[in-house]
Amino acid sequence: IPSNLVLHIEQENIKDDTFSIPKDNRVTNATLIKKLTPSIKKYGQLVPGTILQDGTNAESNHRFEVCKDVGQPFRFIVDNQEHGLSQEELTKEINVNQANWEIKDWLHKWIVHGLEPYIRFQRFLDRHKFGQIYNALQIFSHKDKGAGTFRDEFENGTFNPTDSEWKNAEAFMGEIKDVSTVWNPGGAAFKSYFIGAYREVKEHQDFSPTKFVTKLKKYRGEFRECAKSKDYIDLINIIYNKGQAVREKIWLA
C-alpha cells in the first residue's frame, strides 16, 4: 500500500458507497458544506482526506460530499497506521474541523457508542420538545456545577447526571414550561439567558414559582425579551414585587 502518496478518484467514479463512514461520525453539517463548496468549486480540494486501509473515510466526509456535488475529483491519502492510534484517536488528531463540531454531533457520537446518559438525555429533549442542547444543559446546572462544566463533560463523553440532578432538571423544566404558557416570544423562555436568570431567582428561599406566574399573567405586557441574564433578573424582581407594600418587597437575586 502506498505511503504519503496523494491519490484521487475522478468525479465519474465517485459513488455514495465508495468509502464507509464511522458510525459515530459527526452529523453532516450543512453550514460546513456551505463554507467548503465555493472553495472546492473554485480551487479544487486543497486538503486531502484520510482513508483507512479498510476503506473507512476517517475524517473527510464533508470534503468527499462537496467534491461529489460540485464535480471535482476527491483527493486522499491512505493511512499506513505507523502512528499506532485507533480510528477514533486518529480522527481526533487529524480532523481540524472537529474543533468546530456542534454539540449535536457529540450527542450523536455518544449515543452511537451506547452511553446511557446521552440516550436518556435525548429522551429528555424529545419529551420536552427542547430544540437547543446547550440551553437544555442550563436546565441541569446548579450553584455547585455550571452549564459550562456540563458542556465539557457532554463533549468528553463523561456526562452522567446524578439521580438528584435528573429529578431537579425535570422539576425545573416544569417551572419553565409554566412560564412559557404565559410568556414565550420566539421561544425566549427556553433560551439560556432566561433560564440562567430564573435559576438564580429560584435559589431565594422566599421565591414562589406559582406567585411569579400569577404576577406574570397580570403584568405580562411589562415583561420583555432580554440579551443578558442580569436584565431578566431585574425584570423578574420588578414583576414579582408588583403591588407589594415597600416593607414586603424582596430582592430575589
Side-chain angles (χ1 to χ4, degrees):
I1 296 177
S3 177
N4 299 321
L5 176 65
V6 177
L7 307 174
H8 73 274
I9 302 177
E10 294 295 344
Q11 169 62 27
E12 61 268 22
N13 295 320
I14 295 179
K15 309 295 181 185
D16 287 337
D17 60 353
T18 300
F19 303 112
S20 60
I21 304 295
K23 290 182 178 180
D24 64 352
N25 207 0
R26 69 189 297 184
V27 178
T28 299
N29 186 314
T31 301
L32 181 55
I33 292 288
K34 187 176 181 179
K35 288 181 178 179
L36 284 171
T37 297
S39 174
I40 291 179
K41 185 181 291 186
K42 184 174 181 179
Y43 302 110
Q45 182 189 352
L46 299 176
V47 181
T50 300
I51 304 300
L52 305 186
Q53 293 183 10
D54 64 1
T56 299
N57 187 339
E59 50 74 50
S60 45
N61 57 311
H62 287 86
R63 278 165 281 167
F64 178 81
E65 286 298 323
V66 173
C67 286
K68 178 165 64 70
D69 291 343
V70 304
Q72 290 282 1
F74 175 68
R75 302 169 66 243
F76 64 95
I77 61 172
V78 177
D79 173 45
N80 61 19
Q81 297 183 308
E82 290 181 351
H83 43 67
L85 299 173
S86 67
Q87 182 261 309
E88 182 176 352
E89 291 168 334
L90 173 69
T91 301
K92 187 173 182 179
E93 290 297 323
I94 64 178
N95 189 355
V96 176
N97 287 323
Q98 195 175 63
N100 297 319
W101 271 32
E102 295 180 3
I103 198 166
K104 67 180 180 180
D105 298 318
W106 295 108
L107 176 60
H108 170 74
K109 176 185 180 72
W110 299 123
I111 286 178
V112 168
H113 278 263
L115 299 189
E116 177 57 33
Y118 293 82
I119 297 171
R120 185 176 178 181
F121 184 80
Q122 182 64 66
R123 291 197 297 265
F124 178 88
L125 294 177
D126 295 340
R127 183 165 59 255
H128 296 298
K129 296 180 174 59
F130 215 124
Q132 297 296 320
I133 295 174
Y134 180 70
N135 291 346
L137 290 177
Q138 289 270 8
I139 297 292
F140 284 81
S141 64
H142 47 81
K143 62 181 179 180
D144 297 323
K145 190 173 183 180
T149 300
F150 272 109
R151 176 164 187 160
D152 289 342
E153 291 179 350
F154 199 87
E155 295 183 355
N156 292 331
T158 57
F159 174 73
N160 189 20
T162 64
D163 289 342
S164 177
E165 286 171 335
W166 280 109
K167 182 179 179 180
N168 290 338
E170 290 288 357
F172 191 11
M173 193 69 232
E175 292 182 26
I176 294 295
K177 279 189 168 182
D178 288 343
V179 171
S180 73
T181 62
V182 180
W183 178 87
N184 190 32
F190 297 100
K191 294 178 181 178
S192 60
Y193 291 131
F194 179 78
I195 293 171
Y198 190 92
R199 185 178 62 247
E200 287 289 319
V201 300
K202 77 187 292 340
E203 291 291 335
H204 195 286
Q205 61 180 5
D206 294 326
F207 178 75
S208 165
T210 302
K211 178 180 176 180
F212 174 64
V213 171
T214 300
K215 289 288 186 75
L216 188 60
K217 287 178 181 178
K218 188 173 182 179
Y219 302 106
R220 180 173 48 194
E222 298 181 38
F223 210 72
R224 59 180 173 79
E225 190 171 359
C226 301
K228 296 179 181 179
S229 288
K230 182 183 180 303
D231 294 338
Y232 271 126
I233 290 173
D234 291 342
L235 275 177
I236 291 173
N237 274 292
I238 291 171
I239 297 298
Y240 198 79
N241 285 297
K242 281 280 188 179
Q244 299 289 108
V246 175
R247 65 180 179 276
E248 296 175 342
K249 293 181 184 292
I250 58 173
W251 188 255
L252 299 168

